[in-house]
Amino acid sequence: SNVLSQYSSSSIFNEKQMFDGLIREAKMSVLQEISQNVRNIKQLEYAALARRATQIQKELSQGVRKPYKELTDVCWGDPHSLGVKPLTFVRQVLAACVYPELMSSHKLPLDVRQRAQWLLGKCEGGSIGSYPASAGIPEIIQRMSKSIARRDGGVPCNPENVFISPGSQWSLTVTSLLLTSCVYAPLRTGILIPVPCHVTTITSITSLGAAVVPYFLSEEHGWALQVEELQRALESAKGGCNPIALYVINPGNPAGYVQSRKSIQEVIRFASEKRLVLLADEVYQDCVYGKNSEFVSYKKVLAEMGPPFSDTVELASFHSVSKGFMGECGLRGGYVELVNLDPNVVNYISNLNYDTTSVLAQFALDLMMNPPRPGDPSYPLYNQVRNAVNNMLVQNVKMAHEVVNSLPGLSCQPVEGGAFVFPRVFLPPRAIQKAKEEGMQPDTFYCMRLLEETGVLITPGCEYRQKEGTYHIRFCIMASQDTINKALKHLATFHTKFMKDFS
Amino acid sequence: SNVLSQYSSSSIFNEKQMFDGLIREAKMSVLQEISQNVRNIKQLEYAALARRATQIQKELSQGVRKPYKELTDVCWGDPHSLGVKPLTFVRQVLAACVYPELMSSHKLPLDVRQRAQWLLGKCEGGSIGSYPASAGIPEIIQRMSKSIARRDGGVPCNPENVFISPGSQWSLTVTSLLLTSCVYAPLRTGILIPVPCHVTTITSITSLGAAVVPYFLSEEHGWALQVEELQRALESAKGGCNPIALYVINPGNPAGYVQSRKSIQEVIRFASEKRLVLLADEVYQDCVYGKNSEFVSYKKVLAEMGPPFSDTVELASFHSVSKGFMGECGLRGGYVELVNLDPNVVNYISNLNYDTTSVLAQFALDLMMNPPRPGDPSYPLYNQVRNAVNNMLVQNVKMAHEVVNSLPGLSCQPVEGGAFVFPRVFLPPRAIQKAKEEGMQPDTFYCMRLLEETGVLITPGCEYRQKEGTYHIRFCIMASQDTINKALKHLATFHTKFMKDFS
């Protein structure tokens, strides 16, 4: 039986429905006839900024004089586009898998050739061109499970609960689709999400027709997740939807917090009490810079808490090859681990994977989770690059934090992890007024002016939702130091002038 | 507002609904609470066969004596798993893109290095690790469009209507999701599909909650698509669902027909008259073997028909790098071209792509659609391998057709295109009786016995739907000649004995 098409939309369609079967449009698929969920997907604020950036690019190439020669786009967590170099070990193994003739050359280190040989041995016909199993290549999943168990100090990980995907976002979409329940009709399914929250999550949930139930992180407390706020959000949903899941992002995106073990324990207790499925976006687990911060997985904390929590609280944890110092966004690889879900439910995830994940993305997961070890020929270079990237990120965060907090009207909480800085902008009333006149959100207006005057492209806080009356900006720090220095220099000059102009 | 969770399921949940908010299960996600659409996905017949194949593999490796030493799996259109070799040009370019250091070596032909350089130039930061645009890398889409126009003898192709995806099946799913209308509620959306039809299409449509409206191809007429049958199918849907689209597969899968221009014209006229969106699965467009057969795209025929057809009939055409002699199933790359759809509708496809397609899959599309040309250094080898693969397929088809039709109780229509042979099996009543006793579909029973006695793994016709009282088997011919010869030899011996045993 059906679901998507049973949706009865607002009254503007009623007249049409009456004539169902009698008249049809000349074209079947006019906009008002497509899925309401699809139409509910909000146009991004970024779209207008990107359009203008494209025009500017064109103007620059036509020789139009501007106070800058090129754009500096630090919108996305996309390290390779921002000057971070790919890892040699990863690329060598993948190249050898793509073109196995390379393995006869001794130019590739022994461990590279051995790994490529092992990976190809798990493909039918020894080719990355054959179909992988839709949940993932079994031997790779097994190694991933062992690596997850190692990460969590020995907490077991059942390979049958790990499912690969073309990115963590896709895993989240599929998991949400699975959980979007039909039981509590006529109330629609609700998912609690933090504010601020990165935007693709909101898009996924909306496109499935589920409701977003926002809970606010406390900026004044370093974007802390407070249980009283979860309680308030849950109560606010009453009568509007049926909340079934609680989505958390740790380390944070856009706000770069790292949750403490104690905070995670509180969230788990709350989820347990309210019987919410925990959706834990942990894609930045390898990106922690705070001196006193440490990534601890929800799964590990859950195991440490013991029964009844450890064997009842349902948890989905997401990870990806796009994030972290590997930064292979273009390969499209991620996974979800499902904990404590009914095995009958878990089985259906395979059916929803739609064979979307490439073999190379699966290999990349293996490489990310089983990097070279001391003693391996590739280890010295790998380790050196990893440390260099890490130092760069620490430097970038430090620099960004210092510059931003030195500017009156900009203020940034400590950035402990993740790929982004999310400072608050205290916009002058005249700037807010001007934005309104131009039909823009105030922080979009700020970003548009920054783009216009300096060529620096960042995104506004309204994209990620924020407390009413507050404004923010987001930019990526997972970039080469040159890129960050340039962006910060422009930001400082622009911001000072902007505040003066609108004071 | 919601869709997925508004579905009100069968009466077994009514009691639960009454207690909504009062009681909750200890676990949130028990099976009966997950999406009805997801639960509606049918378990494949193949699953039981695959389970038994895994056991047999294990028994063989433990030294259990059987009349065969290894399995011969010819279930899937997965050429590399069946001994077909990847194309050197494709793999060299991709390897150079993965590990650009290779480009400094003169071991790679000049055109390989130039192509890799061009492709990497379209990636941010010159890395396959940066995010591609979610509709596809613009320059690649542009070249694909030109190639589509060339294929169709100059019929223009607008790049804005071409959307890449991780495989044609995903494109179909997304397009169906887009079209799954909310207007004609309470009737659910219906999509006409051929019988037989390859199974992933049925799964996709079902998982979206749309209804499958079957129309039967006429086996006696070489699996011809007859308009009267489309008419009958459409009428049969009345009151049950609201048919909005007509799905066709040309060349056929599982039945290897190739539609004539005249047949395509008839289908287009029917779609026009009934205002159905045409979903044309054309992934086997490069796999035509019939002497008098020729692939003509639905788009080309539509253009040739002129107005009003050419500017009103809505068409989505699907293609993929998995099929054809390239056979790169593991890369997960495909596309859809949308024709005559409302631009407002088309725009939403980008939102639904969820960034699932890897950069390398996009590169593979470029390589498939713009292969080396005469004069290029890579052309001679490329051309030689292409011809060799083509000759092999022609040989395989000829051999399969001859062997199958020489066996009493097996009969196969001409195989003009695609990757599969789909012979009818006239099962003796005693075999049907025995299958029933064992709780199996009769043709699944036949396949299970074949597997048991010869190690050959093929799939039963019931997987693809078939006219009641008829039985079929499907196997892939896109395989090395050795593989096919072995499979056919086993099939012949088994079939003769089977027919005798149950006569």
Side-chain angles (χ1 to χ4, degrees), chain B residues 129-168:
Chain B
S130 56
Y131 280 114
S134 93
I137 296 169
E139 293 89 346
I140 290 180
I141 299 271
Q142 267 159 36
R143 279 166 58 119
M144 287 168 63
S145 303
K146 284 185 191 151
S147 165
I148 294 170
R150 268 199 307 277
R151 177 199 70 188
D152 293 336
V155 177
C157 171
N158 183 347
E160 289 178 12
N161 291 334
V162 177
F163 296 86
I164 52 88
S165 76
S168 60

mmCIF file of all heavy atoms in Angstrom, chain B residues 129-168:
data_model
loop_
_atom_site.group_PDB
_atom_site.id
_atom_site.type_symbol
_atom_site.label_atom_id
_atom_site.label_comp_id
_atom_site.label_asym_id
_atom_site.label_seq_id
_atom_site.Cartn_x
_atom_site.Cartn_y
_atom_site.Cartn_z
ATOM 1 N N GLY B 129 39.198 14.149 -4.568
ATOM 2 C CA GLY B 129 38.724 14.116 -3.181
ATOM 3 C C GLY B 129 37.851 15.292 -2.812
ATOM 4 O O GLY B 129 37.305 15.345 -1.712
ATOM 5 N N SER B 130 37.689 16.267 -3.721
ATOM 6 C CA SER B 130 36.809 17.394 -3.392
ATOM 7 C C SER B 130 35.383 17.080 -3.842
ATOM 8 O O SER B 130 35.157 16.261 -4.732
ATOM 9 C CB SER B 130 37.329 18.681 -4.032
ATOM 10 O OG SER B 130 37.468 18.527 -5.417
ATOM 11 N N TYR B 131 34.427 17.719 -3.207
ATOM 12 C CA TYR B 131 33.010 17.484 -3.528
ATOM 13 C C TYR B 131 32.688 17.919 -4.955
ATOM 14 O O TYR B 131 33.014 19.041 -5.342
ATOM 15 C CB TYR B 131 32.106 18.310 -2.607
ATOM 16 C CG TYR B 131 31.884 17.733 -1.241
ATOM 17 C CD1 TYR B 131 32.373 18.371 -0.106
ATOM 18 C CD2 TYR B 131 31.157 16.559 -1.067
ATOM 19 C CE1 TYR B 131 32.159 17.862 1.170
ATOM 20 C CE2 TYR B 131 30.931 16.044 0.206
ATOM 21 C CZ TYR B 131 31.431 16.701 1.317
ATOM 22 O OH TYR B 131 31.211 16.188 2.564
ATOM 23 N N PRO B 132 32.024 17.061 -5.710
ATOM 24 C CA PRO B 132 31.519 17.508 -7.016
ATOM 25 C C PRO B 132 30.153 18.176 -6.825
ATOM 26 O O PRO B 132 29.521 18.003 -5.790
ATOM 27 C CB PRO B 132 31.359 16.207 -7.781
ATOM 28 C CG PRO B 132 31.067 15.167 -6.728
ATOM 29 C CD PRO B 132 31.737 15.643 -5.456
ATOM 30 N N ALA B 133 29.718 18.944 -7.819
ATOM 31 C CA ALA B 133 28.361 19.495 -7.775
ATOM 32 C C ALA B 133 27.374 18.339 -7.724
ATOM 33 O O ALA B 133 27.615 17.296 -8.334
ATOM 34 C CB ALA B 133 28.112 20.349 -9.008
ATOM 35 N N SER B 134 26.267 18.518 -6.999
ATOM 36 C CA SER B 134 25.421 17.358 -6.746
ATOM 37 C C SER B 134 24.661 16.883 -7.990
ATOM 38 O O SER B 134 24.286 15.723 -8.090
ATOM 39 C CB SER B 134 24.484 17.599 -5.563
ATOM 40 O OG SER B 134 23.258 18.101 -5.987
ATOM 41 N N ALA B 135 24.458 17.758 -8.975
ATOM 42 C CA ALA B 135 23.832 17.298 -10.221
ATOM 43 C C ALA B 135 24.871 16.683 -11.152
ATOM 44 O O ALA B 135 24.531 16.007 -12.120
ATOM 45 C CB ALA B 135 23.144 18.460 -10.920
ATOM 46 N N GLY B 136 26.144 16.898 -10.841
ATOM 47 C CA GLY B 136 27.230 16.419 -11.692
ATOM 48 C C GLY B 136 28.185 17.561 -12.001
ATOM 49 O O GLY B 136 27.793 18.728 -11.977
ATOM 50 N N ILE B 137 29.442 17.233 -12.303
ATOM 51 C CA ILE B 137 30.437 18.253 -12.653
ATOM 52 C C ILE B 137 30.003 18.898 -13.982
ATOM 53 O O ILE B 137 29.823 18.193 -14.980
ATOM 54 C CB ILE B 137 31.831 17.607 -12.765
ATOM 55 C CG1 ILE B 137 32.261 17.062 -11.388
ATOM 56 C CG2 ILE B 137 32.858 18.597 -13.313
ATOM 57 C CD1 ILE B 137 33.497 16.180 -11.411
ATOM 58 N N PRO B 138 29.802 20.236 -13.994
ATOM 59 C CA PRO B 138 29.172 20.876 -15.158
ATOM 60 C C PRO B 138 29.837 20.542 -16.488
ATOM 61 O O PRO B 138 29.147 20.231 -17.470
ATOM 62 C CB PRO B 138 29.281 22.373 -14.840
ATOM 63 C CG PRO B 138 29.370 22.451 -13.348
ATOM 64 C CD PRO B 138 30.079 21.202 -12.911
ATOM 65 N N GLU B 139 31.174 20.598 -16.552
ATOM 66 C CA GLU B 139 31.846 20.360 -17.833
ATOM 67 C C GLU B 139 31.647 18.922 -18.311
ATOM 68 O O GLU B 139 31.602 18.666 -19.514
ATOM 69 C CB GLU B 139 33.339 20.670 -17.716
ATOM 70 C CG GLU B 139 33.652 22.141 -17.501
ATOM 71 C CD GLU B 139 33.676 22.523 -16.024
ATOM 72 O OE1 GLU B 139 33.193 21.723 -15.177
ATOM 73 O OE2 GLU B 139 34.167 23.615 -15.699
ATOM 74 N N ILE B 140 31.554 18.011 -17.370
ATOM 75 C CA ILE B 140 31.319 16.614 -17.754
ATOM 76 C C ILE B 140 29.899 16.457 -18.285
ATOM 77 O O ILE B 140 29.655 15.805 -19.299
ATOM 78 C CB ILE B 140 31.615 15.671 -16.566
ATOM 79 C CG1 ILE B 140 33.123 15.644 -16.318
ATOM 80 C CG2 ILE B 140 31.065 14.266 -16.817
ATOM 81 C CD1 ILE B 140 33.575 14.763 -15.182
ATOM 82 N N ILE B 141 28.962 17.076 -17.587
ATOM 83 C CA ILE B 141 27.574 17.035 -18.038
ATOM 84 C C ILE B 141 27.456 17.619 -19.451
ATOM 85 O O ILE B 141 26.735 17.092 -20.307
ATOM 86 C CB ILE B 141 26.671 17.839 -17.069
ATOM 87 C CG1 ILE B 141 26.727 17.237 -15.666
ATOM 88 C CG2 ILE B 141 25.259 17.953 -17.590
ATOM 89 C CD1 ILE B 141 25.734 16.180 -15.382
ATOM 90 N N GLN B 142 28.194 18.706 -19.693
ATOM 91 C CA GLN B 142 28.139 19.320 -21.035
ATOM 92 C C GLN B 142 28.635 18.370 -22.120
ATOM 93 O O GLN B 142 28.013 18.234 -23.170
ATOM 94 C CB GLN B 142 28.969 20.608 -21.054
ATOM 95 C CG GLN B 142 28.129 21.836 -20.739
ATOM 96 C CD GLN B 142 28.985 22.988 -20.260
ATOM 97 O OE1 GLN B 142 30.094 23.166 -20.738
ATOM 98 N NE2 GLN B 142 28.469 23.756 -19.323
ATOM 99 N N ARG B 143 29.745 17.701 -21.835
ATOM 100 C CA ARG B 143 30.258 16.748 -22.822
ATOM 101 C C ARG B 143 29.327 15.559 -22.987
ATOM 102 O O ARG B 143 29.159 15.040 -24.094
ATOM 103 C CB ARG B 143 31.642 16.259 -22.397
ATOM 104 C CG ARG B 143 32.740 17.241 -22.758
ATOM 105 C CD ARG B 143 34.026 16.919 -22.051
ATOM 106 N NE ARG B 143 34.514 15.594 -22.323
ATOM 107 C CZ ARG B 143 35.701 15.337 -22.912
ATOM 108 N NH1 ARG B 143 36.457 16.332 -23.289
ATOM 109 N NH2 ARG B 143 36.096 14.101 -23.080
ATOM 110 N N MET B 144 28.715 15.122 -21.876
ATOM 111 C CA MET B 144 27.747 14.028 -21.969
ATOM 112 C C MET B 144 26.589 14.433 -22.871
ATOM 113 O O MET B 144 26.105 13.641 -23.687
ATOM 114 C CB MET B 144 27.224 13.648 -20.573
ATOM 115 C CG MET B 144 28.242 12.905 -19.712
ATOM 116 S SD MET B 144 27.725 12.794 -17.956
ATOM 117 C CE MET B 144 26.220 11.830 -18.100
ATOM 118 N N SER B 145 26.138 15.681 -22.718
ATOM 119 C CA SER B 145 25.011 16.159 -23.516
ATOM 120 C C SER B 145 25.341 16.126 -25.001
ATOM 121 O O SER B 145 24.520 15.727 -25.825
ATOM 122 C CB SER B 145 24.653 17.593 -23.135
ATOM 123 O OG SER B 145 24.372 17.660 -21.776
ATOM 124 N N LYS B 146 26.566 16.565 -25.316
ATOM 125 C CA LYS B 146 26.971 16.533 -26.727
ATOM 126 C C LYS B 146 26.997 15.116 -27.250
ATOM 127 O O LYS B 146 26.610 14.850 -28.394
ATOM 128 C CB LYS B 146 28.357 17.176 -26.878
ATOM 129 C CG LYS B 146 28.302 18.694 -26.806
ATOM 130 C CD LYS B 146 29.671 19.319 -27.089
ATOM 131 C CE LYS B 146 29.623 20.796 -26.737
ATOM 132 N NZ LYS B 146 30.938 21.299 -26.335
ATOM 133 N N SER B 147 27.459 14.219 -26.414
ATOM 134 C CA SER B 147 27.531 12.820 -26.822
ATOM 135 C C SER B 147 26.121 12.227 -27.025
ATOM 136 O O SER B 147 25.883 11.460 -27.960
ATOM 137 C CB SER B 147 28.314 12.044 -25.763
ATOM 138 O OG SER B 147 28.134 10.676 -25.913
ATOM 139 N N ILE B 148 25.194 12.623 -26.167
ATOM 140 C CA ILE B 148 23.805 12.158 -26.318
ATOM 141 C C ILE B 148 23.231 12.696 -27.631
ATOM 142 O O ILE B 148 22.562 11.979 -28.375
ATOM 143 C CB ILE B 148 22.942 12.608 -25.109
ATOM 144 C CG1 ILE B 148 23.413 11.904 -23.828
ATOM 145 C CG2 ILE B 148 21.456 12.334 -25.362
ATOM 146 C CD1 ILE B 148 22.792 12.449 -22.546
ATOM 147 N N ALA B 149 23.519 13.958 -27.919
ATOM 148 C CA ALA B 149 23.033 14.557 -29.168
ATOM 149 C C ALA B 149 23.622 13.820 -30.383
ATOM 150 O O ALA B 149 22.912 13.544 -31.354
ATOM 151 C CB ALA B 149 23.387 16.045 -29.209
ATOM 152 N N ARG B 150 24.899 13.492 -30.325
ATOM 153 C CA ARG B 150 25.539 12.717 -31.412
ATOM 154 C C ARG B 150 24.854 11.369 -31.584
ATOM 155 O O ARG B 150 24.546 10.963 -32.700
ATOM 156 C CB ARG B 150 27.022 12.463 -31.084
ATOM 157 C CG ARG B 150 27.978 13.506 -31.615
ATOM 158 C CD ARG B 150 29.416 12.976 -31.679
ATOM 159 N NE ARG B 150 29.912 12.408 -30.426
ATOM 160 C CZ ARG B 150 30.421 13.130 -29.426
ATOM 161 N NH1 ARG B 150 30.504 14.435 -29.521
ATOM 162 N NH2 ARG B 150 30.857 12.542 -28.332
ATOM 163 N N ARG B 151 24.618 10.681 -30.457
ATOM 164 C CA ARG B 151 23.952 9.378 -30.511
ATOM 165 C C ARG B 151 22.631 9.476 -31.264
ATOM 166 O O ARG B 151 22.262 8.589 -32.031
ATOM 167 C CB ARG B 151 23.685 8.869 -29.081
ATOM 168 C CG ARG B 151 22.931 7.560 -29.013
ATOM 169 C CD ARG B 151 22.300 7.345 -27.626
ATOM 170 N NE ARG B 151 21.176 8.270 -27.393
ATOM 171 C CZ ARG B 151 20.541 8.419 -26.236
ATOM 172 N NH1 ARG B 151 20.934 7.709 -25.188
ATOM 173 N NH2 ARG B 151 19.523 9.261 -26.104
ATOM 174 N N ASP B 152 21.925 10.583 -31.047
ATOM 175 C CA ASP B 152 20.590 10.755 -31.617
ATOM 176 C C ASP B 152 20.625 11.527 -32.937
ATOM 177 O O ASP B 152 19.623 12.150 -33.311
ATOM 178 C CB ASP B 152 19.675 11.443 -30.599
ATOM 179 C CG ASP B 152 19.395 10.556 -29.400
ATOM 180 O OD1 ASP B 152 19.511 9.312 -29.545
ATOM 181 O OD2 ASP B 152 19.065 11.081 -28.327
ATOM 182 N N GLY B 153 21.750 11.498 -33.600
ATOM 183 C CA GLY B 153 21.831 12.129 -34.923
ATOM 184 C C GLY B 153 21.567 13.618 -34.888
ATOM 185 O O GLY B 153 21.009 14.175 -35.852
ATOM 186 N N GLY B 154 21.920 14.276 -33.798
ATOM 187 C CA GLY B 154 21.831 15.723 -33.755
ATOM 188 C C GLY B 154 20.643 16.281 -32.984
ATOM 189 O O GLY B 154 20.541 17.494 -32.814
ATOM 190 N N VAL B 155 19.753 15.419 -32.499
ATOM 191 C CA VAL B 155 18.658 15.922 -31.652
ATOM 192 C C VAL B 155 19.296 16.600 -30.440
ATOM 193 O O VAL B 155 20.100 15.982 -29.737
ATOM 194 C CB VAL B 155 17.739 14.768 -31.177
ATOM 195 C CG1 VAL B 155 16.662 15.288 -30.251
ATOM 196 C CG2 VAL B 155 17.141 14.032 -32.366
ATOM 197 N N PRO B 156 18.970 17.884 -30.178
ATOM 198 C CA PRO B 156 19.691 18.587 -29.111
ATOM 199 C C PRO B 156 19.441 17.989 -27.726
ATOM 200 O O PRO B 156 18.376 17.430 -27.457
ATOM 201 C CB PRO B 156 19.147 20.017 -29.177
ATOM 202 C CG PRO B 156 18.173 20.077 -30.288
ATOM 203 C CD PRO B 156 17.940 18.707 -30.824
ATOM 204 N N CYS B 157 20.439 18.119 -26.883
ATOM 205 C CA CYS B 157 20.327 17.668 -25.497
ATOM 206 C C CYS B 157 20.761 18.805 -24.594
ATOM 207 O O CYS B 157 21.886 19.284 -24.684
ATOM 208 C CB CYS B 157 21.217 16.440 -25.290
ATOM 209 S SG CYS B 157 21.352 15.945 -23.568
ATOM 210 N N ASN B 158 19.862 19.261 -23.756
ATOM 211 C CA ASN B 158 20.131 20.371 -22.856
ATOM 212 C C ASN B 158 20.838 19.857 -21.593
ATOM 213 O O ASN B 158 20.277 19.058 -20.855
ATOM 214 C CB ASN B 158 18.796 21.041 -22.501
ATOM 215 C CG ASN B 158 18.985 22.262 -21.613
ATOM 216 O OD1 ASN B 158 20.062 22.489 -21.057
ATOM 217 N ND2 ASN B 158 17.919 23.048 -21.478
ATOM 218 N N PRO B 159 22.072 20.349 -21.353
ATOM 219 C CA PRO B 159 22.808 19.853 -20.177
ATOM 220 C C PRO B 159 22.039 20.041 -18.872
ATOM 221 O O PRO B 159 22.254 19.294 -17.924
ATOM 222 C CB PRO B 159 24.087 20.700 -20.165
ATOM 223 C CG PRO B 159 24.134 21.445 -21.443
ATOM 224 C CD PRO B 159 22.808 21.358 -22.112
ATOM 225 N N GLU B 160 21.148 21.028 -18.842
ATOM 226 C CA GLU B 160 20.398 21.261 -17.600
ATOM 227 C C GLU B 160 19.396 20.152 -17.304
ATOM 228 O O GLU B 160 18.813 20.101 -16.221
ATOM 229 C CB GLU B 160 19.689 22.618 -17.663
ATOM 230 C CG GLU B 160 20.686 23.750 -17.567
ATOM 231 C CD GLU B 160 20.038 25.121 -17.665
ATOM 232 O OE1 GLU B 160 18.801 25.205 -17.579
ATOM 233 O OE2 GLU B 160 20.791 26.089 -17.841
ATOM 234 N N ASN B 161 19.192 19.277 -18.284
ATOM 235 C CA ASN B 161 18.248 18.172 -18.080
ATOM 236 C C ASN B 161 18.938 16.842 -17.787
ATOM 237 O O ASN B 161 18.284 15.810 -17.699
ATOM 238 C CB ASN B 161 17.368 18.004 -19.319
ATOM 239 C CG ASN B 161 16.412 19.169 -19.491
ATOM 240 O OD1 ASN B 161 16.058 19.831 -18.517
ATOM 241 N ND2 ASN B 161 15.996 19.423 -20.733
ATOM 242 N N VAL B 162 20.267 16.887 -17.668
ATOM 243 C CA VAL B 162 21.023 15.649 -17.428
ATOM 244 C C VAL B 162 21.525 15.642 -15.980
ATOM 245 O O VAL B 162 22.133 16.614 -15.532
ATOM 246 C CB VAL B 162 22.209 15.536 -18.412
ATOM 247 C CG1 VAL B 162 23.049 14.299 -18.122
ATOM 248 C CG2 VAL B 162 21.696 15.512 -19.855
ATOM 249 N N PHE B 163 21.248 14.562 -15.279
ATOM 250 C CA PHE B 163 21.616 14.463 -13.863
ATOM 251 C C PHE B 163 22.328 13.145 -13.614
ATOM 252 O O PHE B 163 21.778 12.081 -13.893
ATOM 253 C CB PHE B 163 20.368 14.551 -12.981
ATOM 254 C CG PHE B 163 19.668 15.872 -13.090
ATOM 255 C CD1 PHE B 163 18.726 16.087 -14.091
ATOM 256 C CD2 PHE B 163 19.977 16.902 -12.221
ATOM 257 C CE1 PHE B 163 18.095 17.318 -14.226
ATOM 258 C CE2 PHE B 163 19.352 18.136 -12.344
ATOM 259 C CZ PHE B 163 18.405 18.344 -13.344
ATOM 260 N N ILE B 164 23.544 13.255 -13.091
ATOM 261 C CA ILE B 164 24.292 12.024 -12.805
ATOM 262 C C ILE B 164 23.765 11.378 -11.513
ATOM 263 O O ILE B 164 23.064 12.004 -10.720
ATOM 264 C CB ILE B 164 25.805 12.288 -12.685
ATOM 265 C CG1 ILE B 164 26.079 13.405 -11.700
ATOM 266 C CG2 ILE B 164 26.434 12.590 -14.019
ATOM 267 C CD1 ILE B 164 26.216 12.999 -10.315
ATOM 268 N N SER B 165 24.132 10.136 -11.325
ATOM 269 C CA SER B 165 23.672 9.377 -10.155
ATOM 270 C C SER B 165 24.568 8.165 -9.978
ATOM 271 O O SER B 165 25.306 7.814 -10.885
ATOM 272 C CB SER B 165 22.245 8.895 -10.384
ATOM 273 O OG SER B 165 22.275 7.795 -11.289
ATOM 274 N N PRO B 166 24.485 7.537 -8.807
ATOM 275 C CA PRO B 166 25.260 6.302 -8.634
ATOM 276 C C PRO B 166 24.528 5.119 -9.259
ATOM 277 O O PRO B 166 24.139 4.188 -8.558
ATOM 278 C CB PRO B 166 25.375 6.159 -7.112
ATOM 279 C CG PRO B 166 24.188 6.872 -6.574
ATOM 280 C CD PRO B 166 23.825 7.947 -7.560
ATOM 281 N N GLY B 167 24.280 5.160 -10.546
ATOM 282 C CA GLY B 167 23.620 4.051 -11.237
ATOM 283 C C GLY B 167 22.231 4.422 -11.720
ATOM 284 O O GLY B 167 21.553 5.278 -11.153
ATOM 285 N N SER B 168 21.813 3.772 -12.788
ATOM 286 C CA SER B 168 20.524 4.093 -13.391
ATOM 287 C C SER B 168 19.372 3.807 -12.434
ATOM 288 O O SER B 168 18.344 4.474 -12.449
ATOM 289 C CB SER B 168 20.333 3.277 -14.668
ATOM 290 O OG SER B 168 20.373 1.894 -14.361
#
